[in-house]
Amino acid sequence: MDTTVTRSGLDGVVVADTRLSEVDGERGRLVVAGHDIERLAGETSFEALAGLLWTGALPQAAAVEATRQVLAEGRVRAFARLHADELGRFADGMDALRAAMARLSADDGFDAPANLTGAVAVFAAAWGRVRAGGQPLAPDPALPHAADYLRMLTGEAPDPARVAALEAYLVTVADHGMNASTFAARVVASTGSDAVSAIVAAIGALKGPLHGGAPGPVLDMLDAIGEPAGAARWIEAELAAGRRIMGMGHRIYRVRDPRAAVLEAALARLERAGASNGRLALARAVERAAEGALRAKYPDRPLAANVEFYTAVLLDAVGIDRAAFSPTFAAGRVAGWCAHVLEQRATGRLIRPASRYVGPAPLQ
């Protein structure tokens, strides 16, 4: 008798031991390499977070500066390989990012995490510029990574408050357990393939609307609601029509996504600095209305705000067009993807799950 246990979607199946991050869905906690995400975001630079993921320890000042320099070198190296004329044919930023990354070669230095992380930032920003009718901007090696990404994408001198908000976002989304794109990267790495291939696979997974595609629709929802007073009525109408409420619910978290709280706090800081878009009150009203309506309709299914709910409001306030939300997600998550590739190479084996055949038997 076949005793194989089948779990659709691999729910609850442990595929690797990792030091990189732990997602506690019951308590709503995200731990990144021994640090709560609430402590890291807003206090830690993207360079320091990358160092934590790639080495296992929060780096001291000298090491942070070294990471800043190698990330800057990675951006410069990637810009030299940019084919800007090809970016315009892609209506979707993730298609453009996947194609641009696929042109890179590990033999050209793009097996190194800093070079890959720099490349994602450069290519995502370049597509955003081309889409807006401009020309890609060359990296500024003197700037920190988050500030240079925002400058390359928007074409504006980086405002400190907006840079701080974007940096909090990039830190917050850099790693999140064995999500679909991270698993895709590890599967490719487990075959002995190069890191470029692993990152391209991860980008393909992140493009999917069930993984990284909801921030833009969240902003569409807020636009449709318009005012806090209209939140409850709009939410009820959507549920009555059988439509999903974007930015609510998560595959793992049974309570509010801790990253939503981190980004809400970052948005509040941005608003206090006078650099916000004024959507925070609306977002909070919509979240409250959605939680109440969903709790009433689905009492046995915990559905609370996930990371994408406040991502939409924060990135819009920073000045990033909603079409570039998913590529910006990739610009943060690539640091984690690279860390998982390193870890898979060091400790893993070929990932080769089994399947159960349910097709027809051969003719006798």
Side-chain angles (χ1 to χ4, degrees):
M1 183 176 65
D2 186 359
T3 60
T4 303
V5 176
T6 300
R7 293 182 179 174
S8 180
L10 298 182
D11 287 357
V13 176
V14 175
V15 298
D17 292 327
T18 182
R19 62 165 182 82
L20 297 172
S21 63
E22 179 187 28
V23 181
D24 186 336
E26 295 298 325
R27 293 192 294 168
R29 189 180 191 189
L30 171 59
V31 176
V32 177
H35 302 267
D36 282 307
I37 194 61
E38 292 90 342
R39 296 292 301 274
L40 289 173
E43 299 179 8
T44 304
S45 68
F46 182 74
E47 284 82 356
L49 189 280
L52 171 65
L53 288 172
W54 299 340
T55 69
L58 272 176
Q60 298 301 308
V64 172
E65 175 59 22
T67 302
R68 189 195 67 76
Q69 291 179 5
V70 295
L71 281 171
E73 292 166 4
R75 296 194 303 274
V76 171
R77 181 187 292 260
F79 191 79
R81 290 157 179 78
L82 175 65
H83 294 263
D85 55 324
E86 295 184 2
L87 293 178
R89 67 186 181 92
F90 293 102
D92 188 294
M94 295 300 285
D95 286 340
L97 183 57
R98 183 187 61 212
M101 292 297 292
R103 296 181 68 104
L104 300 179
S105 169
D107 294 336
D108 234 2
F110 286 97
D111 208 55
N115 289 341
L116 289 165
T117 302
V120 170
V122 165
F123 297 154
W127 175 81
R129 291 285 296 163
V130 170
R131 180 181 180 275
Q135 291 296 316
L137 295 177
D140 182 349
L143 288 176
H145 191 70
D148 202 25
Y149 175 68
L150 190 58
R151 182 194 64 83
M152 289 189 295
L153 179 59
T154 66
E156 299 176 0
D159 171 75
R162 289 188 170 91
V163 170
L166 176 61
E167 188 150 55
Y169 170 74
L170 296 177
V171 168
T172 299
V173 302
D175 199 56
H176 194 250
M178 198 59 67
N179 56 83
S181 57
T182 295
F183 184 55
R186 290 192 74 131
V187 169
V188 173
S190 81
T191 70
S193 188
D194 59 279
V196 172
S197 298
I199 301 309
V200 170
I203 290 168
L206 185 64
K207 181 189 175 187
L210 296 183
H211 184 12
V218 168
L219 210 57
D220 295 338
M221 174 179 69
L222 297 180
D223 287 343
I225 294 171
E227 298 291 338
R233 183 173 62 255
W234 192 92
I235 294 292
E236 292 289 353
E238 289 296 289
L239 291 176
R243 289 188 283 268
R244 290 179 57 204
I245 307 301
M246 303 308 295
M248 302 297 294
H250 193 275
R251 181 74 169 264
I252 303 298
Y253 291 115
R254 305 276 72 84
V255 293
R256 194 185 198 222
D257 188 331
R259 299 169 299 172
V262 169
L263 298 184
E264 181 187 13
L267 186 60
R269 291 193 297 270
L270 190 60
E271 192 167 89
R272 289 194 296 271
S276 179
N277 54 9
R279 290 180 185 264
L280 180 57
L282 173 61
R284 284 171 166 166
V286 172
E287 181 188 6
R288 287 193 301 268
E291 265 198 34
L294 289 166
R295 189 182 306 114
K297 187 174 178 66
Y298 306 108
D300 298 326
R301 291 172 56 192
L303 295 167
N306 60 42
V307 66
E308 293 176 336
F309 191 91
Y310 283 97
T311 288
V313 189
L314 181 68
L315 295 185
D316 181 63
V318 164
I320 296 176
D321 186 86
R322 68 191 71 188
F325 284 0
S326 289
T328 301
F329 193 157
R333 182 57 60 84
V334 65
W337 292 336
C338 289
H340 279 273
V341 168
L342 294 173
E343 188 174 71
Q344 184 66 36
R345 286 174 170 175
T347 63
R349 57 179 297 189
L350 176 66
I351 297 174
R352 207 293 190 187
S355 60
R356 175 181 285 131
Y357 178 66
V358 295
L363 296 176
Q364 299 297 324

